[in-house]
Short mmCIF file of all heavy atoms in Angstrom, two decimals:
data_model
loop_
_atom_site.label_atom_id
_atom_site.label_comp_id
_atom_site.label_asym_id
_atom_site.label_seq_id
_atom_site.Cartn_x
_atom_site.Cartn_y
_atom_site.Cartn_z
N GLY A 1 -10.64 1.59 18.72
CA GLY A 1 -9.72 2.63 18.19
C GLY A 1 -9.12 2.25 16.91
O GLY A 1 -9.60 1.55 16.05
N ARG A 2 -7.85 2.76 16.73
CA ARG A 2 -7.13 2.59 15.48
C ARG A 2 -5.72 2.27 15.79
O ARG A 2 -5.12 2.83 16.71
CB ARG A 2 -7.21 3.89 14.75
CG ARG A 2 -6.49 3.90 13.41
CD ARG A 2 -6.75 5.19 12.64
NE ARG A 2 -6.25 5.11 11.32
CZ ARG A 2 -5.24 5.84 10.79
NH1 ARG A 2 -4.58 6.66 11.63
NH2 ARG A 2 -4.87 5.65 9.56
N GLU A 3 -5.14 1.40 15.02
CA GLU A 3 -3.67 1.06 15.09
C GLU A 3 -3.13 1.23 13.66
O GLU A 3 -3.81 1.03 12.67
CB GLU A 3 -3.49 -0.43 15.45
CG GLU A 3 -4.15 -0.87 16.74
CD GLU A 3 -4.04 -2.47 16.91
OE1 GLU A 3 -4.05 -3.15 15.91
OE2 GLU A 3 -4.04 -2.83 18.04
N GLU A 4 -1.84 1.70 13.66
CA GLU A 4 -1.29 1.82 12.33
C GLU A 4 0.26 1.80 12.48
O GLU A 4 0.83 2.06 13.53
CB GLU A 4 -1.66 3.10 11.67
CG GLU A 4 -1.12 4.32 12.34
CD GLU A 4 -1.57 5.63 11.55
OE1 GLU A 4 -1.49 5.66 10.32
OE2 GLU A 4 -1.99 6.56 12.25
N VAL A 5 0.95 1.40 11.40
CA VAL A 5 2.34 1.44 11.28
C VAL A 5 2.69 1.76 9.82
O VAL A 5 2.12 1.24 8.92
CB VAL A 5 3.04 0.15 11.82
CG1 VAL A 5 2.66 -1.04 10.89
CG2 VAL A 5 4.55 0.36 11.91
N ARG A 6 3.61 2.71 9.68
CA ARG A 6 4.10 3.03 8.37
C ARG A 6 5.21 2.08 7.92
O ARG A 6 6.02 1.63 8.83
CB ARG A 6 4.61 4.51 8.32
CG ARG A 6 3.51 5.48 8.54
CD ARG A 6 4.05 6.95 8.50
NE ARG A 6 4.83 7.19 7.29
CZ ARG A 6 4.38 7.63 6.14
NH1 ARG A 6 3.12 7.89 6.06
NH2 ARG A 6 5.18 7.85 5.13
N TRP A 7 5.32 1.79 6.65
CA TRP A 7 6.42 0.85 6.21
C TRP A 7 7.80 1.45 6.59
O TRP A 7 8.65 0.68 6.98
CB TRP A 7 6.36 0.65 4.72
CG TRP A 7 5.11 -0.13 4.25
CD1 TRP A 7 4.16 0.34 3.33
CD2 TRP A 7 4.70 -1.38 4.62
NE1 TRP A 7 3.18 -0.60 3.21
CE2 TRP A 7 3.44 -1.72 3.96
CE3 TRP A 7 5.29 -2.39 5.44
CZ2 TRP A 7 2.84 -2.91 4.09
CZ3 TRP A 7 4.58 -3.60 5.63
CH2 TRP A 7 3.36 -3.86 4.96
N ASP A 8 7.93 2.76 6.43
CA ASP A 8 9.30 3.35 6.70
C ASP A 8 9.62 3.44 8.17
O ASP A 8 10.75 3.80 8.50
CB ASP A 8 9.39 4.73 5.98
CG ASP A 8 8.38 5.76 6.48
OD1 ASP A 8 7.58 5.48 7.44
OD2 ASP A 8 8.33 6.85 5.92
N ALA A 9 8.69 3.11 9.04
CA ALA A 9 8.89 3.09 10.53
C ALA A 9 8.88 1.68 11.06
O ALA A 9 8.95 1.58 12.30
CB ALA A 9 7.86 3.98 11.16
N LEU A 10 8.63 0.72 10.23
CA LEU A 10 8.58 -0.71 10.76
C LEU A 10 9.92 -1.13 11.30
O LEU A 10 10.92 -1.01 10.61
CB LEU A 10 8.08 -1.61 9.60
CG LEU A 10 7.72 -3.01 9.97
CD1 LEU A 10 6.47 -3.00 10.86
CD2 LEU A 10 7.44 -3.83 8.73
N SER A 11 9.91 -1.63 12.55
CA SER A 11 11.21 -2.00 13.13
C SER A 11 11.32 -3.56 13.27
O SER A 11 12.36 -4.12 13.28
CB SER A 11 11.41 -1.41 14.49
OG SER A 11 10.42 -1.74 15.36
N ARG A 12 10.11 -4.27 13.39
CA ARG A 12 10.15 -5.73 13.53
C ARG A 12 8.76 -6.33 13.19
O ARG A 12 7.75 -5.62 13.38
CB ARG A 12 10.70 -6.22 14.87
CG ARG A 12 9.76 -6.08 16.03
CD ARG A 12 10.37 -6.66 17.25
NE ARG A 12 9.46 -6.61 18.36
CZ ARG A 12 9.23 -5.62 19.13
NH1 ARG A 12 9.82 -4.46 18.97
NH2 ARG A 12 8.35 -5.67 20.08
N VAL A 13 8.79 -7.58 12.84
CA VAL A 13 7.48 -8.32 12.58
C VAL A 13 7.62 -9.58 13.34
O VAL A 13 8.60 -10.35 13.29
CB VAL A 13 7.34 -8.60 11.13
CG1 VAL A 13 6.05 -9.42 10.93
CG2 VAL A 13 7.30 -7.25 10.34
N GLU A 14 6.60 -9.89 14.21
CA GLU A 14 6.48 -11.13 14.91
C GLU A 14 5.25 -11.84 14.66
O GLU A 14 4.25 -11.20 14.21
CB GLU A 14 6.57 -10.83 16.48
CG GLU A 14 7.83 -10.18 16.92
CD GLU A 14 7.81 -9.95 18.46
OE1 GLU A 14 7.26 -10.75 19.16
OE2 GLU A 14 8.33 -8.89 18.85
N ILE A 15 5.19 -13.11 14.87
CA ILE A 15 3.96 -13.88 14.90
C ILE A 15 3.75 -14.39 16.28
O ILE A 15 4.70 -14.93 16.88
CB ILE A 15 4.03 -15.02 13.87
CG1 ILE A 15 4.15 -14.51 12.44
CG2 ILE A 15 2.78 -15.91 14.05
CD1 ILE A 15 4.36 -15.57 11.43
N VAL A 16 2.58 -14.24 16.85
CA VAL A 16 2.25 -14.77 18.11
C VAL A 16 1.14 -15.85 17.93
O VAL A 16 0.18 -15.64 17.17
CB VAL A 16 1.64 -13.66 19.04
CG1 VAL A 16 1.13 -14.24 20.40
CG2 VAL A 16 2.67 -12.61 19.25
N THR A 17 1.35 -17.02 18.56
CA THR A 17 0.42 -18.08 18.46
C THR A 17 -0.10 -18.33 19.84
O THR A 17 0.51 -18.12 20.82
CB THR A 17 1.07 -19.38 17.89
OG1 THR A 17 2.11 -19.77 18.75
CG2 THR A 17 1.50 -19.10 16.42
N THR A 18 -1.25 -18.88 19.96
CA THR A 18 -1.99 -19.26 21.17
C THR A 18 -2.42 -20.73 21.06
O THR A 18 -2.33 -21.35 20.01
CB THR A 18 -3.18 -18.39 21.55
OG1 THR A 18 -4.27 -18.71 20.64
CG2 THR A 18 -2.80 -16.91 21.44
N ASP A 19 -2.97 -21.20 22.16
CA ASP A 19 -3.59 -22.58 22.14
C ASP A 19 -5.14 -22.47 22.11
O ASP A 19 -5.77 -23.42 22.49
CB ASP A 19 -3.12 -23.37 23.29
CG ASP A 19 -3.36 -22.81 24.65
OD1 ASP A 19 -3.95 -21.66 24.69
OD2 ASP A 19 -2.94 -23.32 25.69
N ASP A 20 -5.67 -21.37 21.54
CA ASP A 20 -7.11 -21.19 21.54
C ASP A 20 -7.78 -21.85 20.33
O ASP A 20 -8.96 -21.94 20.32
CB ASP A 20 -7.44 -19.64 21.45
CG ASP A 20 -7.06 -18.94 22.72
OD1 ASP A 20 -6.94 -19.54 23.80
OD2 ASP A 20 -6.89 -17.78 22.70
N GLY A 21 -7.06 -22.33 19.34
CA GLY A 21 -7.61 -22.88 18.16
C GLY A 21 -8.17 -24.28 18.41
O GLY A 21 -7.99 -24.82 19.52
N PRO A 22 -8.87 -24.87 17.57
CA PRO A 22 -9.18 -24.43 16.16
C PRO A 22 -10.41 -23.60 16.06
O PRO A 22 -10.70 -23.12 14.94
CB PRO A 22 -9.28 -25.74 15.42
CG PRO A 22 -9.95 -26.69 16.41
CD PRO A 22 -9.35 -26.28 17.73
N PHE A 23 -11.20 -23.38 17.09
CA PHE A 23 -12.46 -22.66 16.92
C PHE A 23 -12.36 -21.24 17.28
O PHE A 23 -13.38 -20.51 17.28
CB PHE A 23 -13.53 -23.37 17.78
CG PHE A 23 -13.71 -24.80 17.38
CD1 PHE A 23 -13.29 -25.84 18.16
CD2 PHE A 23 -14.33 -25.07 16.10
CE1 PHE A 23 -13.48 -27.19 17.80
CE2 PHE A 23 -14.45 -26.43 15.72
CZ PHE A 23 -14.05 -27.47 16.48
N ALA A 24 -11.22 -20.69 17.61
CA ALA A 24 -10.96 -19.26 17.89
C ALA A 24 -9.64 -18.86 17.22
O ALA A 24 -8.75 -19.73 16.94
CB ALA A 24 -10.89 -19.08 19.39
N GLU A 25 -9.45 -17.68 16.95
CA GLU A 25 -8.25 -17.11 16.39
C GLU A 25 -7.10 -17.49 17.26
O GLU A 25 -7.10 -17.28 18.45
CB GLU A 25 -8.41 -15.57 16.24
CG GLU A 25 -7.26 -14.97 15.42
CD GLU A 25 -7.38 -15.22 13.97
OE1 GLU A 25 -8.29 -14.65 13.33
OE2 GLU A 25 -6.47 -15.94 13.39
N ASP A 26 -6.01 -18.06 16.65
CA ASP A 26 -4.86 -18.46 17.38
C ASP A 26 -3.55 -18.09 16.70
O ASP A 26 -2.46 -18.62 17.06
CB ASP A 26 -4.93 -19.96 17.74
CG ASP A 26 -4.93 -20.81 16.48
OD1 ASP A 26 -5.00 -20.26 15.38
OD2 ASP A 26 -4.80 -22.02 16.64
N PHE A 27 -3.54 -17.14 15.77
CA PHE A 27 -2.37 -16.77 15.04
C PHE A 27 -2.46 -15.26 14.68
O PHE A 27 -3.49 -14.81 14.10
CB PHE A 27 -2.41 -17.59 13.68
CG PHE A 27 -1.15 -17.47 12.87
CD1 PHE A 27 -0.19 -18.46 12.89
CD2 PHE A 27 -1.00 -16.37 12.01
CE1 PHE A 27 0.97 -18.34 12.13
CE2 PHE A 27 0.14 -16.29 11.17
CZ PHE A 27 1.12 -17.26 11.26
N PHE A 28 -1.47 -14.57 15.14
CA PHE A 28 -1.53 -13.13 14.97
C PHE A 28 -0.18 -12.58 14.51
O PHE A 28 0.88 -12.94 15.03
CB PHE A 28 -1.82 -12.40 16.39
CG PHE A 28 -3.12 -12.91 16.98
CD1 PHE A 28 -3.12 -14.00 17.79
CD2 PHE A 28 -4.31 -12.25 16.63
CE1 PHE A 28 -4.31 -14.46 18.35
CE2 PHE A 28 -5.51 -12.70 17.18
CZ PHE A 28 -5.53 -13.84 18.08
N TRP A 29 -0.23 -11.68 13.52
CA TRP A 29 0.91 -10.97 13.08
C TRP A 29 1.03 -9.63 13.92
O TRP A 29 0.06 -8.87 14.06
CB TRP A 29 0.72 -10.56 11.62
CG TRP A 29 0.80 -11.67 10.68
CD1 TRP A 29 -0.27 -12.44 10.29
CD2 TRP A 29 1.92 -12.15 10.01
NE1 TRP A 29 0.18 -13.41 9.40
CE2 TRP A 29 1.50 -13.22 9.22
CE3 TRP A 29 3.25 -11.82 9.91
CZ2 TRP A 29 2.34 -13.93 8.32
CZ3 TRP A 29 4.09 -12.51 9.10
CH2 TRP A 29 3.63 -13.53 8.35
N LEU A 30 2.25 -9.37 14.37
CA LEU A 30 2.48 -8.08 15.12
C LEU A 30 3.43 -7.31 14.23
O LEU A 30 4.61 -7.75 14.10
CB LEU A 30 3.10 -8.33 16.50
CG LEU A 30 2.26 -9.11 17.53
CD1 LEU A 30 3.06 -9.18 18.84
CD2 LEU A 30 0.91 -8.48 17.70
N LEU A 31 3.03 -6.16 13.76
CA LEU A 31 3.94 -5.31 12.96
C LEU A 31 4.20 -4.06 13.90
O LEU A 31 3.31 -3.30 14.22
CB LEU A 31 3.17 -4.74 11.71
CG LEU A 31 2.95 -5.89 10.62
CD1 LEU A 31 1.78 -6.80 10.98
CD2 LEU A 31 2.86 -5.24 9.29
N VAL A 32 5.48 -4.03 14.33
CA VAL A 32 5.84 -3.07 15.33
C VAL A 32 6.68 -1.94 14.73
O VAL A 32 7.62 -2.20 14.00
CB VAL A 32 6.66 -3.76 16.49
CG1 VAL A 32 7.04 -2.81 17.58
CG2 VAL A 32 5.89 -4.94 17.02
N GLY A 33 6.28 -0.68 15.08
CA GLY A 33 6.99 0.45 14.59
C GLY A 33 8.13 0.83 15.52
O GLY A 33 8.23 0.35 16.65
N ASP A 34 9.00 1.75 15.04
CA ASP A 34 10.12 2.11 15.81
C ASP A 34 9.76 2.97 17.07
O ASP A 34 10.55 3.17 17.93
CB ASP A 34 11.17 2.96 14.99
CG ASP A 34 10.60 4.05 14.18
OD1 ASP A 34 9.50 4.49 14.53
OD2 ASP A 34 11.27 4.46 13.24
N ASP A 35 8.52 3.35 17.11
CA ASP A 35 8.00 4.13 18.28
C ASP A 35 7.38 3.13 19.36
O ASP A 35 6.88 3.52 20.37
CB ASP A 35 7.01 5.18 17.93
CG ASP A 35 5.74 4.62 17.37
OD1 ASP A 35 5.62 3.37 17.10
OD2 ASP A 35 4.84 5.45 17.12
N GLY A 36 7.39 1.81 19.06
CA GLY A 36 6.78 0.87 19.97
C GLY A 36 5.31 0.56 19.63
O GLY A 36 4.81 -0.45 20.12
N GLY A 37 4.70 1.45 18.88
CA GLY A 37 3.33 1.16 18.44
C GLY A 37 3.28 0.21 17.29
O GLY A 37 4.31 -0.25 16.84
N GLY A 38 2.10 -0.09 16.87
CA GLY A 38 2.01 -0.94 15.67
C GLY A 38 0.59 -1.47 15.46
O GLY A 38 -0.30 -0.93 15.95
N VAL A 39 0.54 -2.54 14.76
CA VAL A 39 -0.72 -3.18 14.37
C VAL A 39 -0.68 -4.68 14.62
O VAL A 39 0.32 -5.35 14.34
CB VAL A 39 -0.95 -2.99 12.85
CG1 VAL A 39 -2.27 -3.60 12.41
CG2 VAL A 39 -0.99 -1.50 12.50
N CYS A 40 -1.75 -5.16 15.19
CA CYS A 40 -1.90 -6.61 15.39
C CYS A 40 -2.99 -7.11 14.31
O CYS A 40 -4.02 -6.56 14.28
CB CYS A 40 -2.46 -6.93 16.80
SG CYS A 40 -2.75 -8.64 17.10
N VAL A 41 -2.60 -8.06 13.51
CA VAL A 41 -3.45 -8.54 12.44
C VAL A 41 -3.67 -10.07 12.68
O VAL A 41 -2.70 -10.80 12.71
CB VAL A 41 -2.79 -8.35 11.10
CG1 VAL A 41 -3.69 -8.86 9.98
CG2 VAL A 41 -2.41 -6.85 10.84
N GLY A 42 -4.93 -10.41 12.81
CA GLY A 42 -5.29 -11.87 12.98
C GLY A 42 -5.01 -12.59 11.74
O GLY A 42 -4.89 -12.04 10.60
#
């Protein structure tokens, strides 16, 4: 599907880390909108 967040609706930014590295993605940006939706960026 599709994820999106508008700059004017952004309510918080988090980083989530895992212990899956170094051979798998283990760092993710969560851009969360004021409606609870948002985008996860590796």
Side-chain angles (χ1 to χ4, degrees):
R2 181 174 190 248
E3 302 172 332
E4 69 179 316
V5 65
R6 295 180 51 88
W7 294 121
D8 60 4
L10 191 65
S11 64
R12 75 177 185 277
V13 178
E14 297 180 37
I15 296 172
V16 174
T17 60
T18 72
D19 56 4
D20 293 337
F23 300 108
E25 188 75 67
D26 63 352
F27 188 99
F28 302 91
W29 291 86
L30 300 180
L31 290 82
V32 182
D34 53 18
D35 64 354
V39 179
C40 177
V41 181

